[in-house]
């Protein structure tokens, strides 16, 4: 694992919700920093206490915004530095991906003209669409990753991903958002806005005209007008979204990027891990490790047990022994599934087991404790 | 008798109450008396398991339920492992039916009701521009699913009359955006039938005589904090008070006093001794967690941990 941390520039943590992904991403980052690397961890959805430990302020997301101070763009989502009590040269920085400000920054970069920029961001649909579009959260995480990577400030960036149900959707989502920013899509809307002109009917075709009429009936004319305004305002820069999505895809497929998947001992999730490995490799990406989180230590077989002398404790004692065996077997079964998978796996996919901690890992000391446990057997 | 608590049962839920804790017994008559029961909780807490366990409980009481899965497919609990749920409800066992309602399917059904002329409908739905809009429209698919749920609450589905619809909902994060979606949509789109329908959906979700909410949590600290926050958000946005089900609670083999006595009788260095210490520690954490959960003011029900796989599929 240490080798992975040292050799890659970006590590992306995939996994379903509830497995401890955000905490492990932070743990990995702590380990990397203690190994001497200048590390950044970008989280999506940290709990308040974890965020506090990492020195991040969890603001109300709806207030994220971009400010201009004397004409210079101020970045409100600076990463905060974390004290990891390590004597080496490594440093740890932590940040939260804020979709609103990330997208605003992106627009600001691609829209040179300040007036047009203001026109875009003040469109009433822009706010709604940009942060709530299906795929926008994923696009902005990857955009933020790209920004941080391009700055060359960090030896290693660890990206936490949103807890989507199908974790590979995270990588596919930017293509969805691209679809609405196609030149052809906005053209239709712009034409529709000028529908009084005859040539429009010819350009759009009767079928599309009809489809638009239905849309207007379903949603009312105010919405349609706002939608048209929106498309007019993005016309000059929408191709940048596609370009950026392409840049990101190339980066993710390069040797500099590794994917790790976080799961727990559940059979369903472990099977999912193998399926995801295949999906990723179909996309040209590389799954390097599976981190099995919250692993309970295996209890040995009870060989000989002397019964208690107190008669009243006979029954409870028997139940205790039975419970011990049930408990042991339960975790043994799960462990054997991992063994099976390790045996059947092709390539160099590593499986790491990370033990369950007695207390929730939220403080920085506990994070350091966790980071010490993340190692290849 | 303590022994009887451990006999494997055919059903998903061990029925008895743990007598060692002072917590609410499993009197579930309060649950499932409305038309729709939403089951939510963070990923991995056991929402699907709980949904079906509840359905089984209600089935034994003679109530017919339809368990609807929304969101990504999850493996069904052991009795129904091989079943593949579709859009149309299918019987799983006596008084229990299952279905999976996905966004695109629900939207299609809804649009067909608005654009009854099939040619026109196809024209609209299959137009490339409309498809890309539908793909990215925030909350549209969520509203379509909620629309089908609220619509179904008051009438037979596929000619079957159900007493209850149990919605195995998204994980809590998604659930919030799911419930916000119709509100957001009706703000973005002020006119037309879509807006009207969105507002109707919100009204139904808020109606306490129709919709009920349950959050599944684990007796762990982080789960608690999130559950508390979720309950607060739900109260604020929908003015509803969810009930809490604490899943995977430990069913100890003996009382804490008995365990401590046993500890005194066995060798300190033995494996069993270490195990008992660990068990007592876990029980203590859980007890505190459940007490805290109870302090939210909501009702808390406890579901036991199932260690014997022949009892369940999770």
């Amino acid at each position: 694992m240490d080798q992975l941390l040292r050799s890659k520039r970006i590590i992306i943590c995939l996994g379903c919700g509830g497995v401890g992904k955000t905490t492990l991403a932070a743990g990995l980052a702590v380990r990397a920093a203690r190994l001497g690397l200048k590390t950044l961890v970008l989280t999506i959805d940290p709990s308040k206490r974890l965020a506090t430990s990492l020195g991040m302020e969890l603001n109300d997301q709806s207030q994220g915004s971009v400010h201009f101070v004397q004409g210079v763009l101020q970045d409100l989502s600076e990463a905060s530095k974390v004290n990891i009590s390590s004597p080496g040269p490594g440093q740890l920085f932590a940040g939260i991906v804020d979709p609103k400000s990330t997208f605003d920054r992106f627009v600001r970069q691609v829209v040179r003209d300040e007036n047009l920029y203001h026109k875009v961001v003040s469109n009433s649909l822009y706010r709604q669409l940009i942060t709530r579009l299906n795929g926008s959260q994923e696009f902005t995480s990857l955009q933020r990753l790209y920004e941080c990577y391009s700055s060359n400030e960090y030896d290693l960036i660890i990206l936490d991903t949103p807890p989507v149900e199908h974790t590979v959707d995270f990588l596919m989502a930017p293509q969805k958002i691209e679809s609405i920013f196609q030149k052809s899509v906005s053209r239709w809307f712009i034409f529709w806005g000028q529908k009084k002109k005859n040539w429009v009917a010819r350009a759009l075709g009767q079928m599309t005209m009809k489809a638009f009429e239905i849309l207007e009936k379903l949603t009312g004319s105010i919405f349609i007008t706002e939608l048209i305004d929106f498309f007019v305002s993005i016309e000059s820069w929408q191709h940048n979204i596609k370009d950026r999505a392409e840049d990101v895809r190339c980066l993710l497929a390069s040797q500099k990027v590794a994917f790790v998947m976080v799961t727990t001992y559940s059979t369903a999730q472990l099977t999912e891990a193998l399926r995801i490995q295949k999906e990723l490799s179909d996309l040209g990406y590389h799954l390097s490790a599976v981190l099995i989180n919250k692993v309970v230590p295996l209890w040995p077989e009870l060989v000989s047990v002397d019964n208690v002398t107190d008669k009243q404790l006979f029954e409870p004692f028997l139940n205790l022994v039975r419970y011990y065996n049930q408990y042991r077997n339960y975790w043994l079964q799960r462990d054997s599934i991992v063994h099976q998978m390790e045996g059947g796996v092709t390539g160099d996919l590593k499986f790491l087991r990370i033990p369950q901690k007695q207390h929730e890992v939220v403080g920085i000391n506990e994070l350091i404790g966790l980071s010490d446990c993340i190692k290849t057997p | 008798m303590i022994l009887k608590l451990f006999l494997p049962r055919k059903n998903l839920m061990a029925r008895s109450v743990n007598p060692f804790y002072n917590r609410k017994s499993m009197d579930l008559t309060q649950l499932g008396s409305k038309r729709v029961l939403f089951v939510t909780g963070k990923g991995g807490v056991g929402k699907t398991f709980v949904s079906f366990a509840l359905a089984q409980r209600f089935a034994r009481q003679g109530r017919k339920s339809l368990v609807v899965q929304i969101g990504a497919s999850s493996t069904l609990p052991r009795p129904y492992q091989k079943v593949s749920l579709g859009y149309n409800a299918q019987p799983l066992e006596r008084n229990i039916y299952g279905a999976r309602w996905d966004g695109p399917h629900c939207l299609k059904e809804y649009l067909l009701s608005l654009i009854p002329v099939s040619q026109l409908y196809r024209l609209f739905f299959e137009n490339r521009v409309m498809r890309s809009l539908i793909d990215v429209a925030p909350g549209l698919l969520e509203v379509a699913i909620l629309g089908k749920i609220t619509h179904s609450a008051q009438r037979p589905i596929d000619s079957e009359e159900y007493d209850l619809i149990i919605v195995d909902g998204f994980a809590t994060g998604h659930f919030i955006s799911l419930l916000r979606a119709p509100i957001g949509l009706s703000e973005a789109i002020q006119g037309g039938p879509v807006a009207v329908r969105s507002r109707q959906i919100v009204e139904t979700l808020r109606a306490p005589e129709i919709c009920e909410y349950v959050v599944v949590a684990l007796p762990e600290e982080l789960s608690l904090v999130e559950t508390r926050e979720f309950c607060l958000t739900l109260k604020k946005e929908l003015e509803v008070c969810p009930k809490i089900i604490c899943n995977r609670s430990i069913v100890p083999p003996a009382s804490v006093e008995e365990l401590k006595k046993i500890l005194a009788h066995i060798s300190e260095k033995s494996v069993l001794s270490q195990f008992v210490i660990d068990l007592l520690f876990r029980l203590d954490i859980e007890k505190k967690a459940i007490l805290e959960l109870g302090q939210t003011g909501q009702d808390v029900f406890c579901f036991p941990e199932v260690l014997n796989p022949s009892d369940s599929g999770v």
Side-chain angles (χ1 to χ4, degrees):
Chain A
M1 197 67 210
D2 288 354
Q3 202 208 2
L4 198 73
L5 292 171
R6 285 200 179 98
S7 59
K8 302 292 178 185
R9 291 290 311 278
I10 296 175
I11 293 182
I12 300 183
C13 298
L14 301 173
C16 302
V19 297
K21 205 172 15 154
T22 305
T23 313
L24 265 185
L28 275 171
V30 167
R31 190 172 182 90
R34 282 160 72 85
L35 284 174
L37 301 166
K38 188 175 179 195
T39 316
L40 169 70
V41 61
L42 286 173
T43 59
I44 309 285
D45 189 21
S47 70
K48 285 204 179 77
R49 293 168 64 182
L50 184 65
T52 316
S53 307
L54 294 173
M56 300 186 288
E57 267 190 41
L58 273 191
N59 301 312
D60 179 7
Q61 298 266 338
S62 62
Q63 281 165 6
S65 64
V66 170
H67 287 325
F68 283 96
V69 174
Q70 291 172 337
V72 176
L73 187 66
Q74 294 296 308
D75 187 345
L76 285 189
S77 46
E78 293 290 354
S80 52
K81 186 154 184 209
V82 187
N83 180 7
I84 43 156
S85 324
S86 167
Q91 300 170 76
L92 174 62
F93 294 85
I96 305 181
V97 178
D98 173 36
K100 275 193 163 66
S101 63
T102 307
F103 212 95
D104 284 350
R105 266 199 315 275
F106 175 75
V107 175
R108 192 61 192 91
Q109 272 169 18
V110 300
V111 177
R112 301 275 129 190
D113 183 79
E114 202 164 314
N115 287 325
L116 181 57
Y117 169 76
H118 282 291
K119 181 163 184 278
V120 170
V121 300
S122 59
N123 175 287
S124 57
L125 275 188
Y126 171 79
R127 273 272 158 271
Q128 280 237 29
L129 288 182
I130 254 35
T131 52
R132 296 182 48 210
L133 281 179
N134 288 329
S136 64
Q137 198 183 18
E138 292 82 350
F139 176 82
T140 50
S141 320
L142 291 171
Q143 160 65 10
R144 181 98 164 94
L145 174 69
Y146 191 84
E147 269 176 1
C148 297
Y149 172 75
S150 310
S151 71
N152 276 316
E153 281 280 323
Y154 306 99
D155 296 323
L156 174 65
I157 303 173
I158 299 189
L159 177 70
D160 177 23
T161 54
V164 292
E165 304 261 357
H166 269 144
T167 194
V168 183
D169 282 353
F170 170 74
L171 297 166
M172 302 301 290
Q175 280 154 303
K176 250 197 236 170
I177 202 181
E178 263 180 74
S179 68
I180 199 180
F181 288 100
Q182 299 278 358
K183 200 90 183 150
S184 50
V185 171
S186 59
R187 209 161 43 106
W188 292 128
F189 277 91
I190 296 169
F191 284 174
W192 177 252
Q194 302 170 23
K195 63 180 183 282
K196 298 217 172 37
K197 311 212 170 103
N198 289 338
W199 59 270
V200 173
R202 263 178 287 146
L204 282 181
Q206 287 287 25
M207 311 276 266
T208 311
M209 286 281 283
K210 217 44 194 167
F212 270 77
E213 273 169 22
I214 297 172
L215 180 68
E216 189 159 12
K217 225 174 173 182
L218 290 178
T219 59
S221 55
I222 300 174
F223 178 68
I224 296 296
T225 315
E226 287 174 348
L227 208 49
I228 292 168
D229 277 345
F230 172 76
F231 280 109
V232 167
S233 69
I234 67 169
E235 200 195 354
S236 60
W237 57 270
Q238 64 192 109
H239 67 92
N240 286 286
I241 301 229
K242 190 156 180 244
D243 293 344
R244 178 49 49 90
E246 194 49 46
D247 291 337
V248 167
R249 259 199 291 277
C250 285
L251 174 63
L252 294 187
S254 78
Q255 287 301 315
K256 305 193 182 77
V257 178
F259 288 84
V260 308
M261 174 151 167
V262 182
T263 84
T264 54
Y265 250 160
S266 110
T267 321
Q269 283 180 8
L270 289 168
T271 322
E272 182 81 351
L274 290 185
R275 197 185 59 80
I276 284 172
Q277 183 194 23
K278 170 138 200 323
E279 270 191 52
L280 280 178
S281 93
D282 287 344
L283 286 169
Y285 304 139
H286 191 59
L287 183 69
S288 303
V290 177
L291 270 55
I292 306 167
N293 202 12
K294 305 187 195 177
V295 165
V296 168
L298 292 176
W299 292 90
E301 197 176 347
L302 272 186
V303 181
S304 68
V305 184
D306 296 326
N307 207 334
V308 286
T309 43
D310 185 345
K311 268 204 190 129
Q312 284 189 327
L313 292 177
F314 275 179
E315 217 177 284
F317 185 79
L318 267 173
N319 290 330
L320 172 64
V321 172
R322 184 198 292 218
Y323 178 81
Y324 179 98
N325 287 321
Q326 276 181 334
Y327 189 82
R328 175 174 182 263
N329 281 327
Y330 180 80
W331 291 105
L332 252 180
Q333 271 191 2
R334 270 147 180 70
D335 196 56
S336 73
I337 293 168
V338 178
H339 276 301
Q340 264 178 22
M341 289 188 172
E342 276 171 313
V345 127
T346 49
D348 57 354
L349 180 64
K350 299 180 189 43
F351 284 78
L352 275 78
R353 289 167 177 73
I354 295 138
Q356 166 124 40
K357 295 296 181 184
Q358 297 284 28
H359 298 283
E360 298 296 338
V361 178
V362 282
I364 192 65
N365 288 325
E366 287 151 344
L367 263 179
I368 292 174
L370 177 69
S371 75
D372 288 338
C373 296
I374 306 173
K375 46 186 182 235
T376 349
Chain B
M1 281 214 52
I2 300 167
L3 270 174
K4 289 222 175 85
L5 281 175
F6 284 86
L7 287 176
R9 294 185 161 274
K10 289 256 172 61
N11 302 317
L12 287 174
M13 270 163 41
R15 205 168 48 89
S16 313
V17 163
N18 186 313
F20 305 123
Y21 283 25
N22 184 19
R23 61 190 180 191
K24 249 190 159 56
S25 71
M26 301 233 258
D27 170 20
L28 295 173
T29 50
Q30 297 170 44
L31 268 184
S33 52
K34 314 289 188 258
R35 298 289 304 154
V36 182
L37 176 64
F38 285 94
V39 178
T40 185
K42 200 134 204 243
V45 295
K47 291 184 289 301
T48 305
F49 178 85
V50 166
S51 301
F52 280 97
L54 286 173
Q56 279 193 346
R57 169 59 75 98
F58 299 143
R60 283 204 296 277
Q61 292 167 350
R63 281 190 275 172
K64 190 193 285 188
S65 13
L66 170 66
V67 180
V68 173
Q69 298 220 300
I70 58 180
S73 59
S74 53
T75 329
L76 299 187
R78 198 157 286 223
Y80 328 115
Q81 241 177 354
K82 303 245 165 70
V83 177
S84 168
L85 290 179
Y87 195 67
N88 295 317
Q90 54 184 266
L92 294 173
E93 56 177 276
R94 194 159 171 273
N95 283 337
I96 303 181
Y97 291 70
R100 171 181 308 288
W101 291 347
D102 61 284
H105 229 129
C106 293
L107 182 64
K108 207 165 171 180
E109 194 182 322
Y110 173 63
L111 287 175
L112 265 173
S113 73
L114 290 178
I115 317 168
V117 180
S118 65
Q119 272 173 332
L120 274 181
Y121 162 79
R122 261 202 308 275
L123 186 74
F124 178 77
F125 197 64
E126 286 160 21
N127 177 282
R128 196 163 56 91
V129 178
M130 296 306 147
R131 285 318 301 260
S132 63
L133 256 192
I134 287 172
D135 256 348
V136 298
L140 187 63
L141 294 179
E142 283 81 358
V143 176
I145 295 173
L146 281 176
K148 180 148 172 84
I149 292 171
T150 50
H151 185 78
S152 307
Q154 287 145 314
R155 49 184 61 72
I157 309 166
D158 307 327
S159 334
E160 278 284 347
E161 299 258 6
Y162 297 98
D163 293 308
L164 177 68
I165 301 173
I166 300 175
V167 180
D168 179 6
F170 292 113
T172 37
H174 288 144
F175 196 67
I176 303 265
S177 57
L178 176 76
L179 297 177
R180 280 181 186 152
I183 302 169
L185 200 66
S186 65
E187 279 166 12
I189 304 175
Q190 307 251 340
V194 170
V196 171
R197 187 77 190 96
S198 301
R199 286 193 279 274
Q200 276 174 350
I201 291 171
V202 177
E203 260 176 50
T204 310
L205 291 176
R206 285 189 175 145
E209 68 277 8
I210 304 177
C211 291
E212 201 175 17
Y213 301 83
V214 158
V215 188
V216 181
L218 294 177
E220 290 165 0
E221 211 181 316
L222 205 58
S223 185
L224 280 185
V225 171
E226 279 155 2
T227 305
R228 240 203 316 262
E229 283 167 8
F230 176 76
C231 290
L232 284 172
T233 311
L234 214 57
K235 262 191 252 202
K236 196 173 78 170
E237 307 217 356
L238 270 189
E239 294 145 30
V240 293
C241 236
K243 299 193 170 64
I244 302 175
I245 286 184
C246 181
N247 198 19
R248 302 208 188 118
S249 75
I250 306 172
V251 188
S255 73
V256 172
E257 294 80 45
E258 284 166 339
L259 285 173
K260 285 186 176 156
K261 282 191 196 157
I262 291 175
L263 205 57
H265 275 74
I266 56 180
S267 156
E268 246 178 57
K269 300 202 194 89
S270 71
V271 159
L272 198 59
S273 167
Q274 285 168 27
F275 183 77
V276 174
I277 293 172
D278 182 69
L279 177 60
L280 285 169
F281 182 74
R282 289 192 293 128
L283 282 171
D284 190 54
I285 292 187
E286 187 184 297
K287 185 172 171 184
K288 294 193 173 111
I290 292 175
L291 275 174
E292 274 229 43
L293 268 179
Q295 273 165 13
T296 54
Q298 265 92 5
D299 294 330
V300 181
F301 303 92
C302 288
F303 273 40
E305 175 181 60
V306 184
L307 291 176
N308 191 336
S310 69
D311 285 348
S312 84
V314 182

